[in-house]
């Protein structure tokens, strides 16, 4: 025992002596990055002091740059670093694992000091954009545009992203982006109506926009990837926030967030309940150009919902290097869809021959649940040397019944009555393994696999009321089964130096898809394997100017509703249906970006080109005054564009952020003897001004414009609309009153025209103005946050 003790002491003395000699010769080079612990935004101009451990004297130091990064040289043997910034608690670092005289501390997080915040302008309050090797990161602050908002409204404030009034998400003007939650597919980000409404603005930490994804990511999504990263509170003790919202049209909700954190456990929960009403106005004209007759309709449709959401989870820190996370969420929506549509039939002379009114009464129960089990292990040699294993399960169900009644107002047609029933169930399970191994200080290897199992069943029936009884329509009744399994394997290698970075990767995926119409026994069984390479590079010319370039190959697999041949009979003259024989799109994506950082302004300019094969387009056909729209694979599309994002802060109380996107595309294609070749362009812009007013009032105004653009059969109109909001803080930010107005002038109107040789179709829809008034209060160490379960 004594011998071992002496050996240990001699070893320590030898190490200290060797380190003293080494220090005397060259010392250490230390790098790191300082970020806000809550928002994970960089903290510029934070102070990093070198403190002598013997007498506590400051012997050197530096400050962080605009990106929160710092580098310094240390030539004293016994020291520690002290990190500080106004409004934050100080932090000290005393362990410095070095390799060849170099120490990379990675990212260091500072926590806000609540007592010091009064009267201080904290930059982390604002949503900001930062750029990484292969993505843009939008850090979500307490923007007024997020007040009383859902994830869709937050997305609509992100540069490069636009959300239509129907909830369709476009990335740089193109649909097909894959939506992820915490880096993984989720039922919340699926296509079943308003599932993203269960994510609220206060739950979102940041949104990552990956227009040219590396091979590490699922190859799904030709337009790229949008990853919504949710918050996990880092404050120890009990923290929480309660929120109350009300609005017109009806948008009432109550939300409660609770978090309890200890050294070993982090318990987090969110509970929400409310009622929302979402009206939609629509007008449609279908004209038979051969017989010169028209069917004209206009109406008001509602989606009214009572909703209940519960999210629970825990992080268990097994030890310093192993963490186990288990989380789950359940949601229930009780849905009603009352609607009234007025129809009229116009003959070739322009006279109205008959008019009738179609009413709909729909009720649905929509249960949802999700679970996540994640294990993360950090190896002893390097904190970036990690192994991540995860399992995720999702379920979405819909039990819906609808009744439709046609009441004749004038003319000779008879009254008619129909009803439908839907039993829909979707289960999705995702299993993944990711391994990251850094080599020295600049090289990193990543490898992993993912297996996704998706099973869907949709039992759909239509019945007509004939001679006093319900008779099932066998031509419209069937059971549609959809089963898709995707296996993916990937490997990437990356080098990141002070000025130059390179990342290369390859992903292999196999897709096995089977769709079955059970009643008629129609099957579509496809199996295909593909390789998806990616290359990304960056060059930092100086602190204010950088260049990035990238290439990746992507896939867009047909979604369930693209394949499902059944349709909603709300409007029997304007039908949308799926195509079970649809094939996937493939896209080659090229991108070149430049980043300029000035004292009061940052500017990002992207040039890009996308080449897509087997493009999925919705093609309309016309017969007996009925327009049927079905997705088809129609040729190729080549898009070339330019995108600019700018943020300008002329003075402390004013921020201006702008986004301009222009693309020119060439379409080549043919379907059933019809040629769809044409060239066209489209552009969009979005500008936001944020102003700090006296007495703790804040004001934000956002203006959007989307240009008119051509489609394969017609065109889509332009849109100009504005959102605005105001907020008042009380009790040092613990309490917040807010008022937001969506579509201030009710001008967000979408018009679609289809021009063909034998028919013309016109449709117009809009939702109108939405006003939300909210109050929230934070307790413990929690901050006031806004909550709503609603999607607009």
């Amino acid at each position: 025992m004594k011998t071992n003790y002496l050996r240990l002491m001699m070893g320590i003395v030898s190490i200290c002596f060797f380190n003293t000699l080494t220090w005397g010769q060259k010392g250490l080079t230390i790098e790191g990055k300082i970020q806000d612990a809550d928002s994970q935004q960089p903290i510029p101009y934070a102070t990093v002091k070198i403190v002598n451990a013997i007498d506590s004297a400051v012997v050197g130091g530096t400050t962080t740059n605009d990106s929160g990064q710092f580098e310094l040289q240390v030539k004293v043997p016994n020291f520690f670093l002290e990190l500080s910034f106004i409004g934050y608690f100080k932090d000290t670092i005393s362990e410095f694992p070095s390799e060849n005289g170099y120490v990379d501390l990675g990212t260091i997080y500072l926590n806000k000091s609540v007592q010091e915040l009064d009267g201080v302008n904290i930059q982390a309050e604002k949503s900001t954009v930062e750029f990484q090797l292969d993505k843009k990161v939008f850090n979500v602050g307490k923007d007024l545009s997020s007040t009383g908002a859902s994830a869709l409204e937050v997305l609509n404030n992100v540069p490069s992203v636009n959300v239509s009034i129907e909830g369709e998400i476009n990335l740089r003007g193109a649909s097909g982006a894959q939506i992820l939650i915490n880096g993984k597919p989720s039922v919340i980000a699926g296509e079943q109506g308003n599932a993203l409404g269960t994510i609220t603005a206060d739950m979102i930490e940041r949104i990552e926009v990956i227009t040219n994804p590396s091979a590490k990511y699922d190859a799904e999504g030709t337009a790229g990837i949008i990853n919504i990263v949710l918050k996990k509170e880092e404050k120890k003790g009990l923290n929480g926030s309660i929120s109350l919202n009300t609005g017109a049209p009806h948008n009432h909700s109550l939300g409660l967030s609770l978090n309890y954190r200890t050294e070993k456990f982090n318990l987090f929960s969110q509970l929400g309940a409310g009622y929302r009403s979402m009206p939609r106005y629509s007008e449609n004209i279908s004209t038979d150009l051969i017989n010169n007759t028209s069917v004209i309709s206009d109406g008001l449709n509602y989606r009214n919902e009572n909703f209940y959401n519960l999210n629970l989870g825990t992080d268990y820190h097994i030890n310093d290097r192993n963490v186990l996370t288990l989380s789950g969420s359940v949601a229930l929506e009780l849905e009603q869809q009352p609607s009234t549509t007025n129809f009229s039939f116009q003959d070739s002379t322009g006279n109205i021959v008959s008019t009738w009114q179609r009413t709909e009464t729909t009720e649905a129960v929509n249960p949802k649940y999700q679970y996540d089990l994640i294990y993360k292990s950090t190896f002893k040699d390097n904190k970036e040397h990690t192994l991540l294993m995860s399992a995720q399960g999702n379920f979405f169900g819909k039990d819906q019944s609808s009744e439709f009644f046609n009441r004749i107002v004038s003319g000779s047609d008879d009254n008619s009555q129909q009803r439908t029933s839907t039993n829909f169930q979707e289960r999705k399970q995702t299993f993944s393994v990711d391994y990251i191994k850094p080599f020295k200080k600049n090289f990193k290897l990543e490898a992993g696999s993912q297996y996704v199992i998706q099973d869907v069943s949709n039992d759909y029936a239509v019945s007509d009321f004939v001679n006093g009884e319900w008779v099932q329509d066998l031509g419209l009744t069937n059971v549609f089964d959809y089963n898709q399994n995707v296996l993916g394997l990937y490997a990437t290698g990356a080098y990141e130096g002070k000025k130059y970075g390179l990342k290369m990767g390859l992903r292999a995926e196999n897709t096995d898809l089977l769709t079955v119409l059970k009643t008629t026994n129609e099957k579509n069984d496809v199996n295909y394997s593909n390789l998806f390479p990616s290359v990304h590079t960056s060059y930092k010319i100086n602190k204010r100017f950088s260049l990035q370039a990238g290439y990746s190959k992507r896939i867009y697999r047909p979604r369930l509703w693209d394949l499902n041949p059944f349709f909603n009979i709300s409007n029997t003259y304007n039908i949308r249906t799926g195509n079970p024989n649809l094939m996937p799109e493939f896209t080659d994506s090229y991108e070149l970006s430049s980043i300029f950082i000035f004292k009061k302004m940052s500017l990002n300019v992207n040039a890009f080109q996308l080449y897509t094969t087997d493009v999925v387009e919705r093609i309309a056909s016309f017969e007996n005054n009925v327009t049927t729209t079905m997705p088809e694979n129609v040729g190729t599309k080549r898009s070339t564009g330019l995108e600019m994002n700018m943020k300008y802060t002329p003075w402390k109380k004013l921020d201006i952020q702008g986004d301009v996107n222009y693309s020119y595309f060439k379409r080549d294609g043919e379907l059933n003897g019809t040629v769809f070749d044409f060239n066209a362009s489209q552009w969009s812009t979005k500008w936001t001004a944020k102003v700090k007013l006296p007495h703790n009032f804040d004001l934000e105004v956002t203006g959007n414009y989307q240009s008119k653009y051509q489609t394969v059969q017609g065109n889509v109109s332009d849109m100009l609309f504005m959102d605005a909001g105001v907020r008042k803080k009380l009790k040092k930010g613990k309490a917040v009153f807010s008022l937001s107005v969506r579509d201030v002038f009710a001008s967000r109107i979408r018009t679609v025209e289809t021009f063909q040789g034998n028919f013309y179709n016109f449709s117009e829809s809009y939702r109108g103005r939405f006003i939300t008034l909210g109050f929230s209060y934070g307790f413990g160490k929690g901050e006031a946050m806004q909550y709503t379960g609603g999607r607009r």
Side-chain angles (χ1 to χ4, degrees), residues 9-56:
M9 292 301 297
M10 289 176 65
I12 293 173
V13 172
S14 299
I15 292 172
C16 292
F17 178 70
F18 175 77
N19 284 343
T20 302
L21 292 178
T22 305
W23 286 101
Q25 295 171 1
K26 59 180 181 180
L28 282 180
T29 299
I30 301 177
E31 288 186 355
K33 183 176 183 179
I34 300 179
Q35 291 185 354
D36 182 289
D38 294 329
S39 67
Q40 294 195 0
Q41 295 180 92
I43 303 178
Y45 312 115
T47 301
V48 183
K49 297 179 182 178
I50 305 172
V51 183
N52 192 315
I54 298 175
D55 57 6
S56 299

Side-chain angles (χ1 to χ4, degrees), residues 283-287 574 751-754 760-764:
E283 180 182 353
N284 189 276
I285 302 173
S286 296
T287 301
N574 193 358
T751 301
V752 180
E753 293 181 286
T754 302
Y760 166 78
N761 190 73
F762 169 90
S763 64
E764 183 176 273

Side-chain angles (χ1 to χ4, degrees), residues 454-467:
Q454 186 177 12
D455 295 315
V456 180
S457 178
N458 185 43
D459 188 345
Y460 182 76
V462 179
S463 299
D464 300 299
F465 195 67
V466 181
N467 298 325

Side-chain angles (χ1 to χ4, degrees), residues 106-145:
T107 303
I108 304 156
Y109 298 100
L110 295 185
N111 290 291
K112 293 190 185 77
S113 171
V114 178
Q115 291 79 10
E116 296 179 11
L117 289 180
D118 191 22
V120 178
N121 179 26
I122 300 298
Q123 196 170 18
E125 287 286 309
K126 308 168 187 175
S127 294
T128 59
V129 181
E130 61 177 299
F131 298 88
Q132 298 180 7
L133 181 60
D134 57 351
K135 59 189 170 187
K136 286 185 288 188
V137 180
F138 182 79
N139 295 295
V140 180
K142 298 175 184 175
D143 291 42
L144 302 180
S145 57

Side-chain angles (χ1 to χ4, degrees), residues 627-768:
T627 302
T628 302
T629 305
M630 177 186 294
E632 301 278 3
N633 293 110
V634 185
T636 63
K637 180 179 181 179
R638 187 185 300 275
S639 300
T640 303
L642 187 68
E643 178 187 28
M644 291 185 291
N645 310 121
M646 183 269 286
K647 184 176 182 181
Y648 178 52
T649 308
W651 60 85
K652 290 183 178 180
K653 294 188 177 182
L654 175 64
D655 277 344
I656 300 173
Q657 183 171 310
D659 179 45
V660 181
N661 190 305
Y662 171 84
S663 64
Y664 172 84
F665 55 92
K666 181 180 180 182
R667 290 287 286 109
D668 295 305
E670 182 268 339
L671 181 68
N672 299 328
T674 302
V675 177
F676 295 105
D677 296 350
F678 69 95
N679 303 331
S681 63
Q682 66 182 108
W683 68 281
S684 63
T685 185
K686 177 168 56 182
W687 292 87
T688 300
K690 304 172 187 177
V691 184
K692 287 189 174 295
L693 302 173
H695 307 294
N696 287 325
F697 278 96
D698 297 316
L699 173 68
E700 178 182 296
V701 178
T702 300
N704 291 265
Y705 177 76
Q706 300 172 26
S707 75
K708 179 177 180 180
Y709 64 92
Q710 185 177 345
T711 65
V712 292
Q713 290 185 301
N715 59 60
V716 177
S717 68
D718 61 347
M719 286 195 298
L720 177 64
F721 56 96
M722 187 179 81
D723 303 328
V726 64
R727 177 177 62 187
K728 166 68 174 177
K729 293 182 182 180
L730 299 170
K731 295 184 177 295
K732 301 181 180 179
K734 283 286 187 179
V736 173
F737 283 97
S738 56
L739 174 67
S740 64
V741 184
R742 313 288 171 187
D743 196 4
V744 175
F745 301 106
S747 59
R748 196 175 183 182
I749 302 172
R750 179 184 177 93
T751 301
V752 180
E753 293 181 286
T754 302
F755 304 92
Q756 292 297 289
N758 62 331
F759 74 97
Y760 166 78
N761 190 73
F762 169 90
S763 64
E764 183 176 273
S765 62
Y766 62 97
R767 293 196 180 276

Side-chain angles (χ1 to χ4, degrees), residues 287-326:
T287 301
D288 184 337
L289 297 179
I290 305 300
N291 300 310
N292 202 28
T293 59
S294 298
V295 175
I296 304 169
S297 65
D298 65 86
L300 174 60
N301 305 309
Y302 283 91
R303 173 175 286 177
N304 302 330
E305 291 176 339
N306 291 288
F307 59 90
Y308 310 91
N309 307 320
L310 174 63
N311 301 313
L312 294 172
T314 180
D315 295 323
Y316 172 52
H317 295 263
I318 303 171
N319 52 45
D320 291 340
R321 297 194 302 274
N322 294 275
V323 180
L324 185 66
T325 299
L326 176 62

